[in-house]
Amino acid sequence: MRRIQIAVIGYNKDRCTDEARKAAYEVGSEIARAGAVLVCGGLGGVMEEACRGAKDNNGLTVGIIPEDDFSYANKYCDIIVCSTIGFARDFIVAGSADGIIAVGGGVGTLTEMTVGYMMKKPMVAVKGSGGTADEYGGRYLDERKRVEIMTAASPKEAVRMILERIKENAGLGHDNLPDTA
């Protein structure tokens, strides 16, 4: 059976806050403990910290980088996809996930959220992590109300919520959720 894939999106290296780094690390740790695969944009900031958290907990990480050279990926990526398509790689990150967790972020994060929204992917924003996550958490992106961007008070809650929603969407119910305690 295919493993659940959760995208972690958020601030890049230049804009990442200490709060977002800490939250991203914890999100990555919880994803690994749940036995899911972490998917991200493969670079620094939230992406690197989430991957580091996953690797510290024996998780599997996939980085989908915008460049054509593996060396751009952060050192915690197990699998590196050199998309060669620049910012358009945001579509691949969102499309490759069963669910999306936002930690802070700017316009790139918003792009990934928009793609997830159009595809009706479950999304959770970590409250208090700043940027796009705080701005759009608890909202729909437009009047069509395709999928609400849920908010979580903690990284652990974010992973629990996204797993529940993914399982519900797959018709698996709560009894089959991995233990994230």
Side-chain angles (χ1 to χ4, degrees):
M1 187 159 102
R2 182 178 70 79
R3 290 169 63 181
I4 291 173
Q5 297 178 189
I6 301 173
V8 180
I9 62 175
Y11 290 122
N12 64 25
K13 183 178 182 180
D14 297 333
R15 306 244 353 213
C16 198
T17 64
D18 289 339
E19 294 82 12
R21 286 180 205 285
K22 183 177 184 236
Y25 179 87
E26 291 175 26
V27 165
S29 297
E30 292 298 323
I31 289 170
R33 289 184 194 122
V37 176
L38 188 148
V39 177
C40 71
L43 302 178
V46 162
M47 298 167 278
E48 183 169 9
E49 286 304 305
C51 287
R52 186 170 70 88
K55 293 309 303 166
D56 285 352
N57 289 275
N58 300 311
L60 179 64
T61 62
V62 177
I64 302 169
I65 64 172
E67 294 87 7
D68 64 353
D69 184 335
F70 293 102
S71 69
Y72 284 94
N74 75 64
K75 66 183 179 180
Y76 303 104
C77 291
D78 292 310
I79 299 166
I80 302 166
V81 177
C82 295
S83 73
T84 72
I85 57 175
F87 296 124
R89 75 82 150 75
D90 294 347
F91 286 75
I92 299 171
V93 171
S96 297
D98 295 299
I100 299 169
I101 298 175
V103 180
V107 73
T109 303
L110 181 57
T111 300
E112 290 160 328
M113 290 172 100
T114 302
V115 172
Y117 185 82
M118 292 304 296
M119 298 177 77
K120 296 184 179 179
K121 303 267 183 173
M123 291 185 275
V124 177
V126 178
K127 187 176 182 177
S129 61
T132 302
D134 282 344
E135 180 70 25
Y136 292 95
R139 296 175 49 187
Y140 294 94
L141 293 181
D142 68 12
E143 69 283 351
R144 291 175 287 177
K145 297 185 177 182
R146 295 178 70 83
V147 61
E148 181 180 6
I149 301 165
M150 302 175 287
T151 57
S154 71
K156 186 172 186 170
E157 182 183 25
V159 174
R160 180 190 58 76
M161 290 171 70
I162 204 73
L163 286 169
E164 284 177 2
R165 191 55 57 93
I166 290 166
K167 297 286 187 173
E168 286 170 3
N169 289 351
L172 300 176
H174 298 290
D175 294 338
N176 296 320
L177 284 175
D179 182 13
T180 59

